[in-house]
């Protein structure tokens, strides 16, 4: 038999073929005790449920230090007397107080174990205050390799921001640093120099002048918030605002930018209400009306901080002026405004319990970019955009990472994840049903932390088929499923290869000039196909490859 390679995704098949021959082996990942303390629900975490935080922080740009306290309100789920609080080196906890008494604690790397004196009765609601300070880790390459960014604006004034996804919020403040337990509400008090403004999550409640000339900005978050979504922004900010007439009510939108960028922002930030209109159409109401929507200029590219989305894209369209899709459509919008704001639905509203499931944040949000394009420029444009992202897929390792050790999977969670969802849309084959499924995700898992299984089960139920093989293929395997086919004696034979066991995804094809939906399995299927010069073309909206086997 002679094999003729189809035209779809040759480079991906070649890459996977090299791996299959053992010529390219991923490095084994090694995890430590610190990874386990950071990434698992330890006994010292499991017995209490965080209810509230009051984070009170003084920021000193002169020596790049922060000092302050976090008062933690919690509910006792099971009687125990050792509490794990996380704070990363080189930051230090100075003391811990409960009921007016100072508590003893021990430190193991980035985890502090607090020995509680008072009885921790099941069902009781209690609080303690952690006092801390130091020089937080300086961001190496924010937001990917984060920490604190200590910059200056063009006038020489301090321009400061925090970013800590993956690294963990404990890089700059003490908390229960695991995503499974979101705090229900939070007061964030930021003390900053008098000539600067401090912006954080939620709504500004008050600004208090201090005796030393500094000002304290008090921001209140009334909705559940994940730890890495909490942020600090300090600069010589000016602001402007508008009201967006959304599905629920009028949404307060406020934009904070450096003084010298006000005119540019008033033009560029017009993408914010465009984003809200498109994403409310696709995903349902903005999830944080109570806390408003803010877009805040930051000294790094940007981040999905809840109700306080940070922005540093240079007030230009695309991703730093580039179209990641290579189609031209990526220059029709400001990537950071659209992508980071999309995370309000997928990351802040629906949040992974374990960072191994980070695809839930990034696949849906990367896919949201193409839905934005489709909303304003048509279906063909949106389809072209998401398919254009395929050139950046690496297929280097599974999208899902290792659980319980704070390990995220492959960066393919972005572009491959988006194309996985685009492929799933083709299986649904009904645009309004697909939109209903997306909106249903937002309502079903409203303000929840979730697992991959929950999302898979929901999608299987709503699509109406068992999607376990589908997700095993795209999330847990690196191979591109391949439709292998042949024409012989007036018949078309076809099957899935290069795939997981039981892979049975339907696929749209054109046989000769007739559009069909095939239902291949991993065993050969046959159908009649009488013609002198038979051809088969796979719908390119499916992220698959094809082989034509000829005599």
């Amino acid at each position: 038999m002679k094999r003729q390679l189809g035209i779809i995704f040759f480079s991906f098949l070649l890459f996977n073929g090299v791996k299959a021959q053992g010529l390219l082996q991923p490095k084994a990942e090694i995890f430590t005790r610190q990874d386990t303390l950071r990434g698992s629900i330890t006994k010292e975490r499991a017995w209490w449920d965080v209810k509230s935080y009051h984070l009170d922080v003084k920021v000193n740009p002169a020596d790049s230090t922060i000092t302050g306290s976090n008062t933690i309100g919690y509910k006792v789920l099971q009687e125990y007397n050792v509490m794990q609080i996380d704070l990363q080196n080189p930051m230090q906890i100075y003391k811990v107080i409960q009921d007016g008494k100072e508590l003893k604690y021990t430190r193991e790397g980035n985890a502090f174990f607090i020995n509680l004196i008072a009885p921790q009765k099941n069902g009781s609601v209690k609080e303690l205050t952690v006092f801390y300070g130091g020089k937080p880790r300086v961001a190496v390459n924010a937001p990917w390799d984060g920490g604190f960014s200590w910059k200056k604006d063009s006038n020489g004034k301090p321009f400061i921001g925090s970013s800590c996804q993956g690294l963990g919020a404990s890089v700059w403040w003490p908390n229960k640093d695991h995503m499974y337990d979101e705090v229900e509400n939070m007061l964030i008090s930021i003390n900053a120099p008098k000539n600067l403004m401090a912006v954080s999550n939620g709504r500004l409640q008050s600004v208090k002048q201090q005796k030393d000339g500094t000002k304290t900005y008090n921001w209140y978050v009334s909705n559940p918030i994940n730890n890495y979504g909490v942020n600090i922004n300090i600069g010589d900010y000016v602001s402007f605002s508008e009201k967006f007439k959304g599905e629920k009510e009028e949404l307060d939108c406020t934009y904070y930018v450096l003084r010298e960028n006000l005119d540019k922002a008033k033009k560029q930030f017009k993408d914010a209400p465009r984003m809200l209109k498109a994403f409310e159409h696709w995903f349902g109401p903005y999830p944080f009306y109570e806390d408003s929507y803010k877009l805040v200029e930051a000294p790094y590219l940007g981040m999905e901080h809840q109700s306080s989305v940070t922005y540093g894209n240079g007030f230009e369209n695309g991703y730093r002026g580039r179209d990641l899709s290579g189609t031209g459509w990526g220059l029709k919008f400001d990537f950071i405004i659209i992508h980071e704001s999309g995370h309000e639905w997928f990351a802040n509203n629906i949040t992974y319990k374990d960072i191994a499931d980070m695809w839930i944040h990034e696949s849906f949000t990367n896919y949201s970019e193409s839905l934005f394009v489709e909303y304003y420029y048509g279906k063909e444009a949106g389809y072209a955009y998401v398919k254009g992202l395929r050139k950046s897929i690496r297929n280097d390792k599974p999208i899902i990472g290792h659980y319980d050790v704070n390990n995220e999977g492959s960066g393919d969670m972005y572009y491959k994840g988006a194309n996985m969802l685009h492929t799933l849309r083709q299986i649904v084959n009904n645009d309004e049903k697909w939109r209903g499924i997306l909106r249903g995700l937002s309502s079903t898992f409203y303000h929840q932390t979730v697992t991959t299984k929950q999302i898979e089960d929901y999608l299987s139920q709503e699509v109406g088929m068992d999607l376990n093989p589908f997700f095993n293929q795209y999330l847990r395997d690196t191979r591109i499923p391949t439709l292998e086919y042949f024409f012989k004696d007036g018949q078309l034979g076809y099957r899935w290869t290069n795939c997981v066991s039981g892979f049975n995804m339907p696929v749209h094809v054109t046989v000769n000039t007739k559009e069909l939906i095939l239902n291949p399995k991993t065993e050969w299927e046959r159908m009649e196909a009488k013609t002198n010069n038979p051809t088969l073309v796979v719908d390119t909206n499916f992220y698959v490859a094809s082989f034509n086997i000829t005599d």
Side-chain angles (χ1 to χ4, degrees):
M1 302 288 282
K2 176 184 176 184
R3 290 172 179 258
Q4 180 180 356
L5 184 64
I7 62 173
I8 305 176
F9 312 132
F10 171 80
S11 62
F12 297 131
L13 288 173
L14 179 61
F15 184 81
N16 281 290
V18 169
K19 291 204 308 187
Q21 297 172 46
L23 299 178
L24 182 61
Q25 296 294 334
K27 286 185 177 180
E29 297 184 80
I30 300 174
F31 300 104
T32 67
R33 163 75 171 162
Q34 282 298 303
D35 294 322
T36 299
L37 287 176
R38 172 76 173 84
S40 65
I41 304 173
T42 62
K43 183 178 182 181
E44 292 77 16
R45 283 172 167 161
W47 67 271
W48 59 286
D49 174 27
V50 63
K51 307 297 284 186
S52 64
Y53 289 134
H54 177 197
L55 179 60
D56 189 355
V57 180
K58 180 180 179 65
V59 180
N60 187 359
D63 61 3
S64 302
T65 62
I66 63 175
T67 56
S69 64
N70 187 21
T71 298
I72 303 169
Y74 63 96
K75 182 177 181 179
V76 178
L77 304 178
Q78 183 179 356
E79 294 184 18
Y80 196 58
N81 67 342
V82 180
M83 174 183 287
Q84 179 179 335
I85 297 295
D86 305 288
L87 184 65
Q88 298 179 31
N89 280 309
M91 301 297 288
Q92 297 289 330
I93 288 179
Y94 300 138
K95 64 179 177 180
V96 182
I97 301 291
Q98 185 171 57
D99 300 331
K101 296 179 181 180
E102 188 167 345
L103 305 179
K104 294 181 180 180
Y105 54 85
T106 58
R107 180 170 197 169
E108 184 179 348
N110 296 324
F112 289 78
F113 296 97
I114 316 298
N115 296 298
L116 305 175
I117 299 173
Q120 307 293 309
K121 296 294 184 182
N122 190 19
S124 63
V125 177
K126 303 179 75 65
E127 70 175 32
L128 57 75
T129 302
V130 179
F131 296 86
Y132 78 107
K135 284 191 175 185
R137 181 184 191 273
V138 175
V140 177
N141 184 27
W144 304 278
D145 195 352
F148 254 66
S149 297
W150 305 90
K151 306 292 184 180
K152 291 191 176 182
D153 64 19
S154 61
N155 297 313
K157 293 184 177 181
F159 185 28
I160 302 164
S162 64
S163 57
C164 56
Q165 186 182 19
L167 178 64
S170 56
V171 74
W172 67 275
W173 61 284
N175 60 85
K176 186 180 191 179
D177 206 2
H178 193 289
M179 298 291 286
Y180 88 99
D181 190 5
E182 287 190 346
V183 68
E184 295 179 12
N185 59 76
M186 185 170 184
L187 177 61
I188 305 165
S189 301
I190 308 170
N191 180 262
K194 62 181 178 181
N195 61 337
L196 302 174
M197 183 185 296
V199 183
S200 190
N201 312 81
R203 290 184 182 269
L204 183 63
Q205 283 195 329
S206 63
V207 181
K208 294 185 178 180
Q209 184 78 42
Q210 304 298 329
K211 292 179 180 180
D212 61 0
T214 60
K215 291 181 180 178
T216 298
Y217 292 78
N218 295 299
W219 295 85
Y220 182 70
V221 184
S222 62
N223 287 295
I225 185 170
N226 65 60
N227 291 338
Y228 85 82
V230 177
N231 73 331
I232 280 181
N233 305 281
I234 295 175
D236 183 22
Y237 286 124
V238 293
S239 67
F240 60 102
S241 62
E242 63 182 328
K243 291 185 181 294
F244 172 76
K245 293 183 179 180
E247 288 193 12
K248 284 181 67 174
E249 56 193 62
E250 283 193 335
L251 173 63
D252 294 323
C253 301
T254 309
Y255 312 111
Y256 294 86
V257 296
L258 294 180
R259 192 172 301 275
E260 64 259 32
N261 292 326
L262 180 60
D263 291 339
K264 287 187 282 188
K266 285 184 174 180
K267 178 181 178 181
Q268 193 68 12
F269 286 8
K270 288 180 181 179
D271 262 1
R274 293 179 75 222
M275 171 278 301
L276 288 164
K277 186 176 181 181
F279 288 169
E280 285 208 336
H281 169 82
W282 287 110
F283 304 138
Y286 174 74
F288 306 106
Y289 272 78
E290 301 84 356
D291 290 326
S292 79
Y293 170 83
K294 297 187 296 300
L295 197 55
V296 187
E297 188 176 358
Y300 55 85
L301 184 61
M303 195 66 202
E304 66 256 27
H305 300 119
Q306 184 173 308
S307 74
S308 179
V309 175
T310 48
Y311 174 89
N313 200 39
F315 303 96
E316 58 183 344
N317 281 359
Y319 177 92
R320 291 174 167 165
R322 296 187 293 114
D323 175 11
L324 295 178
S325 75
T327 64
W329 294 112
L331 296 178
K332 296 290 187 179
F333 62 93
D334 190 309
F335 176 91
I336 292 299
I337 295 176
I338 305 310
H339 179 90
E340 302 304 343
S341 298
H343 278 306
E344 293 281 49
W345 283 264
F346 296 98
N348 299 337
N349 181 40
I350 303 174
T351 308
Y352 55 67
K353 286 183 184 292
D354 191 301
I355 198 172
D357 291 332
M358 190 173 171
W359 77 271
I360 297 168
H361 294 197
E362 300 301 347
S363 297
F364 281 98
T365 304
N366 194 264
Y367 179 58
S368 77
E369 299 159 23
S370 67
L371 295 179
F372 176 88
V373 171
E374 179 176 339
Y375 186 83
Y376 286 104
Y377 305 105
K379 190 171 181 177
E380 288 187 10
Y383 278 26
Y385 179 87
V386 70
K387 289 188 289 184
L389 299 174
R390 292 174 182 174
K391 60 185 173 54
S392 298
I393 298 174
R394 296 174 297 179
N395 289 304
D396 59 341
K397 60 180 181 178
I399 285 176
I400 292 180
H402 298 279
Y403 291 101
D404 297 324
V405 287
N406 196 48
N407 173 252
E408 60 188 65
S410 169
D412 279 350
M413 69 181 77
Y414 293 85
Y415 309 122
K416 184 177 179 181
N419 275 280
M420 174 188 71
L421 294 173
H422 184 62
T423 298
L424 184 57
R425 178 180 182 175
Q426 311 315 308
I427 296 172
V428 173
N429 202 26
N430 181 312
D431 289 346
E432 278 308 299
K433 180 178 180 179
W434 179 240
R435 186 167 79 98
I437 289 171
L438 295 175
R439 290 174 65 94
L441 276 167
S442 296
S443 58
T444 300
F445 301 106
Y446 182 73
H447 290 179
Q448 292 182 35
T449 59
V450 300
T451 64
T452 285
K453 186 178 187 306
Q454 287 177 278
I455 301 300
E456 288 183 5
D457 288 349
Y458 168 85
L459 290 172
S460 289
Q461 177 181 328
E462 296 302 313
V463 172
M465 66 178 287
D466 178 10
L467 293 173
N468 187 57
F470 175 86
F471 287 115
N472 284 342
Q473 184 69 50
Y474 287 104
L475 294 178
R476 301 177 179 91
D477 199 282
T478 60
R479 295 171 293 174
I480 305 301
T482 302
L483 183 68
E484 192 172 65
Y485 66 94
F486 66 84
F487 290 97
K488 186 176 181 179
D489 299 331
Q491 286 195 319
L492 164 65
Y494 55 90
R495 68 175 180 181
W496 286 119
T497 61
N498 206 43
C499 59
V500 300
S501 176
F503 188 69
N504 60 349
M505 180 177 75
V507 63
H508 300 176
V509 301
T510 300
V511 177
N512 303 323
T513 59
K514 187 176 181 180
E515 294 183 359
L516 301 172
I517 298 177
L518 300 182
N519 290 283
K521 299 178 176 59
T522 53
E523 300 81 27
W524 285 109
E525 304 279 338
R526 287 174 172 79
M527 61 176 289
E528 187 176 289
K530 293 181 178 180
T531 182
N532 292 330
N533 297 296
T535 60
L536 182 149
V537 178
V538 177
D539 184 345
T540 59
N541 290 299
F542 285 78
Y543 183 56
V544 298
S546 66
F547 272 119
N548 179 14
I549 302 176
T550 59
D551 289 323

